[in-house]
Amino acid sequence: MPTRRLEAKEHVFLAGDPRAYLYKLDSGVVCLYRIVVSGRRQVTGFAFAGDIFGMGALNRHVLSAQALRTIRVQSIPIAALGRLAGNDPRFGLKLYEAACLELASTQQTLLVIKRPALERLAGFLLVWAQRNGRNGEDPEILILPMTRADIGDFLGLTIETVSRMFSKLQAEGVIEIKQRGPIRVLDIRKLQELGSPEDVIAQ
Amino acid sequence: MPTRRLEAKEHVFLAGDPRAYLYKLDSGVVCLYRIVVSGRRQVTGFAFAGDIFGMGALNRHVLSAQALRTIRVQSIPIAALGRLAGNDPRFGLKLYEAACLELASTQQTLLVIKRPALERLAGFLLVWAQRNGRNGEDPEILILPMTRADIGDFLGLTIETVSRMFSKLQAEGVIEIKQRGPIRVLDIRKLQELGSPEDVIAQ
DNA sequence: CGGACGCTTGATTGTCCTCAAGATCGGTGG
DNA sequence: CCACCGATCTTGAGGACAATCAAGCGTCCG
């Protein structure tokens, strides 16, 4: 598979582009979003190393995909999916599983969106810390490659509210915000209390 | 494939159940939801005739699926997916496409959720009218098999707000609400203005 | 130095939730 | 037949939370 390298702010694809490829991210972070006529932007998610993105049912992209820092991506031609599935019966199921993962993540976002702003942000940071842990990075030092605006458009908040909630978390001793830099988690327990995705109950 | 028949209010599966089957709905309407510890309920979507539901990445269901009226469903054993994909290389891709459709629908909901309550409800009714049109039913007579609570939990509103917005749409001459019954669309144009899923802009 | 950009903080406003009280319909049993 | 009850829906009053509007701060870069 051909691999491309893109710098921060470059787009992998734009909404409206023909959906010719699926993409597999080797390194870096990608922001997936759409812009609506009102001018508002909805960030539907972020892609990290190992993630497949660009999936969809239509023949044009509905989302735009922008590199938040230098990335490396592989391109998988859509036209080749049939052949690949023919060669490897499991390939189609793999795609299905990737789509299910993204679906689960989007549904999770739906749940989060109705909680108070502070908890939404706490949840966002918590997920980030957990990902760091899984990837062998320090779960107490969060390096967020996106802006407050990206976070706001993802969580459904304005940048002002995001900023206020960051300040509040800091005032309550949950996190420490370095200038222009990483966020240190001081009280992971409190972050969990605030941000835990609410557990599912039967029925 | 074995076909089951369920009455209104019966569950196809509950959150927490082992994810042993995928389901294909032959007729009726199914409500997909989860309940969270706070007691709140999030309806993630509805399934209609022809839809596949029960998809997911985990080995247990995260959602519950409840019939809103009499339904007929086919069950597809998860364990057989590998074999089915082996027999028909396109089968995996079909699943992938079904997942993409559900993904698109969920992302659409994410977009809707940030708009004012009136527009959210208008959008909901508009989608319903369009589905009626596609299925050869009258797009001006909407028979909603779900309660106000279902609609509210889907749109992220309380039943009171849903009710108020219904009243407002009626007061503005957009719809007419029959007692306990169907909704007649009087001004489809206005409904579109209010409820049109905002179009995507490039970049 | 000045300007652009991202971020923070404050004051005010608006929307929707909460709490509360009816209204309407269907079903059940006296 | 009708009174009663539960479920669903409607309507109103008050309050909470986040958006909006507005100003100021720090950093990066020309």
Side-chain angles (χ1 to χ4, degrees):
Chain A
M1 292 296 167
T3 299
R4 268 204 291 165
R5 178 196 156 101
L6 293 173
E7 299 302 323
K9 310 225 172 186
E10 286 191 280
H11 280 86
V12 183
F13 54 82
L14 292 173
D17 285 355
R19 209 167 61 78
Y21 301 92
L22 290 185
Y23 300 92
K24 182 156 192 281
L25 191 59
D26 285 339
S27 66
V29 185
V30 166
C31 175
L32 298 159
Y33 68 91
R34 62 199 344 180
I35 303 224
V36 292
V37 285
S38 64
R40 211 169 52 74
R41 186 180 67 145
Q42 172 70 46
V43 172
T44 58
F46 301 94
F48 301 91
D51 288 349
I52 290 176
F53 62 99
M55 297 178 287
L58 305 175
N59 60 3
R60 289 185 175 270
H61 286 291
V62 180
L63 305 177
S64 300
Q66 185 181 34
L68 291 178
R69 46 195 184 87
T70 305
I71 61 169
R72 298 178 60 84
V73 277
Q74 293 178 41
S75 312
I76 308 166
I78 299 283
L81 291 186
R83 184 175 51 74
L84 288 167
N87 293 345
D88 177 4
R90 317 230 85 193
F91 179 77
L93 289 183
K94 284 253 181 63
L95 281 183
Y96 162 66
E97 282 160 20
C100 284
L101 283 176
E102 193 168 336
L103 182 60
S105 156
T106 306
Q107 287 177 345
Q108 186 65 37
T109 305
L110 256 187
L111 266 191
V112 166
I113 216 97
K114 276 276 88 181
R115 301 170 66 194
L118 189 68
E119 300 179 18
R120 265 187 264 186
L121 181 60
F124 177 76
L125 296 177
L126 190 61
V127 168
W128 203 278
Q130 289 167 347
R131 176 175 22 250
N132 273 8
R134 275 202 311 277
N135 296 348
E137 295 163 37
D138 188 340
E140 300 203 340
I141 304 290
L142 312 182
I143 299 170
L144 305 179
M146 69 281 286
T147 65
R148 298 286 187 264
D150 291 329
I151 297 173
D153 290 343
F154 178 57
L155 297 178
L157 301 170
T158 60
I159 55 175
E160 294 98 324
T161 301
V162 172
S163 185
R164 272 184 253 272
M165 296 306 124
F166 265 119
S167 300
K168 191 163 186 185
L169 284 176
Q170 181 164 235
E172 293 183 0
V174 181
I175 62 175
E176 180 189 13
I177 304 172
K178 314 253 191 197
Q179 293 289 35
R180 279 273 161 192
I183 288 165
R184 171 182 288 276
V185 178
L186 300 176
D187 189 343
I188 184 70
R189 195 168 306 271
K190 206 157 175 187
L191 198 64
Q192 284 168 342
E193 273 174 34
L194 286 170
S196 286
E198 312 186 57
D199 290 315
V200 177
I201 296 179
Q203 189 199 140
Chain B
M1 291 298 166
T3 298
R4 268 202 292 164
R5 177 197 158 100
L6 293 173
E7 299 303 322
K9 310 225 172 185
E10 286 191 281
H11 280 86
V12 183
F13 53 82
L14 292 173
D17 284 355
R19 208 167 62 78
Y21 302 92
L22 290 185
Y23 299 91
K24 182 156 191 282
L25 192 59
D26 285 336
S27 66
V29 185
V30 166
C31 176
L32 298 159
Y33 68 90
R34 63 199 344 178
I35 304 229
V36 291
V37 285
S38 63
R40 210 170 52 75
R41 186 180 68 146
Q42 171 70 47
V43 172
T44 58
F46 301 94
F48 301 90
D51 289 349
I52 291 176
F53 61 98
M55 296 179 287
L58 304 176
N59 61 2
R60 289 186 175 270
H61 286 291
V62 179
L63 306 177
S64 300
Q66 184 181 35
L68 291 178
R69 45 195 185 89
T70 304
I71 62 170
R72 299 178 59 85
V73 278
Q74 294 178 40
S75 313
I76 308 166
I78 299 283
L81 291 186
R83 185 174 51 73
L84 288 168
N87 292 347
D88 177 6
R90 319 230 84 196
F91 179 78
L93 289 182
K94 284 253 182 61
L95 281 183
Y96 162 66
E97 282 160 20
C100 283
L101 282 176
E102 192 168 337
L103 182 59
S105 156
T106 306
Q107 287 177 345
Q108 187 65 35
T109 305
L110 255 188
L111 266 191
V112 165
I113 216 97
K114 276 276 89 180
R115 301 170 67 197
L118 188 68
E119 300 179 17
R120 264 186 266 184
L121 181 59
F124 177 77
L125 295 177
L126 191 60
V127 169
W128 203 277
Q130 288 166 347
R131 177 175 22 250
N132 273 8
R134 275 201 311 277
N135 296 349
E137 296 163 37
D138 188 341
E140 300 203 341
I141 304 290
L142 311 182
I143 299 170
L144 306 179
M146 69 280 288
T147 65
R148 298 286 187 266
D150 291 329
I151 298 172
D153 290 343
F154 178 56
L155 297 177
L157 300 170
T158 59
I159 55 175
E160 293 97 326
T161 301
V162 172
S163 184
R164 272 184 256 271
M165 296 306 124
F166 265 119
S167 299
K168 192 164 187 185
L169 284 177
Q170 181 164 236
E172 293 182 1
V174 182
I175 62 174
E176 181 189 11
I177 304 171
K178 315 255 192 195
Q179 294 290 37
R180 283 273 162 189
I183 288 165
R184 171 181 288 276
V185 178
L186 300 175
D187 189 344
I188 183 70
R189 195 168 307 271
K190 206 156 174 188
L191 198 63
Q192 282 167 343
E193 272 174 36
L194 286 170
S196 284
E198 311 186 57
D199 290 317
V200 177
I201 296 178
Q203 189 203 139

